[in-house]
Amino acid sequence: MSTLPNPSRRNFLKLAIATSGGLFLGFNWNTASADTQAILTEGTLAGAIDFNSYLSIAPNGIVTIFSPNPEVGQGIKTAFPMIVAEELDVDWKNVNVMQAPLDTQKFERQVAGGSGSIRHSWQRLRKAGATARQMLLEAGAKQWKVPVAECKTEKGMVIHNTSGRKLSYGELASEAAKLSVPSDVKLKEVKDFQLIGQVAKNVDNPKILIGQPLYGIDFYREGMLFAMIKRPSAFGLKLKSVDSTAAKSMSGITDVVTFKNNVAVVGKSTWQVKKAIDSLKIEYEKESDLESTTDHNRIFEELLNSTNTTVRRKDGDVEMAFKNAAKVIKSEYQCPFISHSPLEPMNFFAHVKPDSVELIGSTQTPEAARNETAKLLNIAPEKVSVEMTRMGGGFGRRLKTDYVLEAVEVSNLVKAPVKVIWTREDDMTGGSYRPAVRYRFEAALDKQGNLVGYKLRGVGMNSGNCTREDNFPSGAVENLLIDTVEHKSPITTGPWRAPITNFLAFAEQAFLDEVASAAKKDPVQFRLELLDKAKKSPTGAIKYDIDRMKSVILLVVEKSGWGKKKGVSQGFSVYFSHFSYVAQVGEVVMQKGKPVLTKIYAAADCGVVINKSGARQQIMGGIVDGLGHAMYANLTFKDGAPQQSNFNTYRLIRMNEIPEVEVHFVENTIDPTGLGEPALPPTGAAVANALFKATGKRLRNQPFAEQEGMKGVS
């Protein structure tokens, strides 16, 4: 019995599905079991029965579960099959997981973004597993000629309760698949879960550990060409002329082509192409005013004082509340543009053929990649196939399809299969950034220190609505005004992990600490009072769950020993995003006169936790991501050109700068909500509020390490 070949396109195994007569193309994905090194083999799927879009069962009892959504490190390729396997009642050791290709007929929402995959697919996945389980039960009962009610399932077996007779799923699969698919099936109670809520290792771990091909950048097909693209050196420039004489004469170079504002060099190896692209002689000319890519402070100041705003929410009489206030607190918070910086730079494979297009690579939006390709080439979307690889990070960058379309354009021009690869410098200087934003906050307090008025104005660069007007403390303040101003910049921006809230949460939660201090109240108690007020006498719409927010606050207060530790400065933050709630406490101690962040506690309510290991890693990863970018990341521009092009000038967090992280989950039976992003937003404020307690220095701008008095902070 031979194992599957490496996942090159020419070596894809064509797996016959017995019930449909069709073909399924798949990679050599490792078994889901953490205890066995067995891998998917041709024998494993010989005669396999396809029960539905999500699973098939082979005669030997091995269950193959297809994971349709892109895997970007959020653990979806493990979590999705766990949900199916739970309802199917199969032994996890006998489960193989395969990445499904794009198929809009079989699957919905094949997207990795917005922390919405589990929330969207929870019931669908459960029903897929439960439906197959019911059909297997009926097949067993039919064979024994007993009522279905007398039978049960357990770890891939159908068991007759009275006689103790057993049949494996593999033995029953063929007959079960011939039965009518039940329209209504009973799902398990949460209390009966045996797999969900346990610890399961990531199904790709074995490949990751030994470096087997898995990511888009690993993909290789014999005969394909490599391409690198020279893009304008600054935003606001357009291509004027190009001299490619030297490049075309170099060894291994097959072509140099131009399209839109780009020049692509195509050749037989990345090294040959890299040397050739460096030899190009290119001239650019101005296409737009480049001042708006540099003088951001002036732009922010002008727009913050603009009267041309978009009102997002207004409750009560804000003007009167501030006029009669006993005290008014006003502050501004600002963040820079930052890069997505995924470990795996952008890359994609495209083969434009006379009658079809083949796409393979790392994408968070495979359907968008297909549709944009079809639009570009003026062909039907059905003529475009998309196969997904695992992604070495995306954080929103791979929601876009620009790098996919580059591969399509080049392949179409040179009439050959092409893999476009970006260098790290390409990725950082020609990519899509988190928008720069400035917020102005104002709070009105009465004589008793109660918050009676609240204003927030956001100015964003290509960010659309840079607020979340219905998030806390909206609904807890009688008089509230939230508005925005938008600036259109030549700098391309896009979703960055936890879009908008990645900085807004810091600004809101740090400002609430300022208000609590002015009111002479404990920061935690101040927020709890506001939540109680929102529940007792809400103002306008309440679009967050007050009880769930309080639950994470109380849990993190308990676990961190809030306010009870000597020599430790604690900072608090709580946030609601992607339908989940996360509260955090940061701890800072002074060492040799410098503040040192030693620990972060986190309490999360994301409903039912699918995989405790994966969930914990998501929380910890989000915290490290949020901390590192709040502390260090900064992308600046001069005349439209990014001033940082690699990690020697663009600062990321280092391993020795990561504090201890302790994670706790609120246990409940609520359907799962987002987890890939919600832990990032509250981190900045928890750390900044702790640093204030330790140093007396308010941090209102990011990155923290560049602010006055923060040199040497760690």
Side-chain angles (χ1 to χ4, degrees), residues 51-52 87 126-136 181-182 185:
F51 276 81
N52 52 53
E87 293 290 351
R126 294 183 70 189
K127 287 178 180 177
T131 298
R133 175 178 172 272
Q134 180 63 32
M135 294 168 72
L136 290 160
V181 178
V185 292

Side-chain angles (χ1 to χ4, degrees), residues 366-433:
E367 186 176 2
R370 182 193 69 177
N371 293 344
E372 290 298 315
T373 296
K375 182 179 178 182
L376 175 69
L377 300 177
N378 195 28
I379 60 175
E382 294 74 25
K383 292 185 176 291
V384 182
S385 68
V386 184
E387 291 157 10
M388 293 169 272
T389 64
R390 187 181 178 96
M391 285 169 268
F395 314 108
R397 177 62 183 90
R398 287 184 163 94
L399 288 170
K400 289 196 168 186
T401 61
D402 55 311
Y403 61 101
V404 178
L405 297 182
E406 286 179 346
V408 174
E409 291 255 29
V410 176
S411 177
N412 190 43
L413 287 169
V414 302
K415 307 302 179 187
V418 170
K419 182 174 183 179
V420 167
I421 295 181
W422 292 37
T423 64
R424 174 60 60 197
E425 288 79 8
D426 291 337
D427 206 66
M428 197 167 288
T429 63
S432 175
Y433 309 111

Side-chain angles (χ1 to χ4, degrees), residues 699-713:
L699 293 170
R700 300 188 178 94
N701 298 332
Q702 292 182 2
F704 298 158
E706 294 183 12
Q707 305 310 306
E708 184 180 352
M710 287 295 116
K711 188 175 182 181
V713 64

Side-chain angles (χ1 to χ4, degrees), residues 71-92:
E71 174 57 68
V72 69
Q74 80 280 39
I76 208 72
K77 193 176 166 188
T78 303
F80 266 25
M82 286 180 70
I83 298 169
V84 176
E86 177 67 72
E87 293 290 351
L88 182 60
D89 204 5
V90 64
D91 193 330
W92 186 240

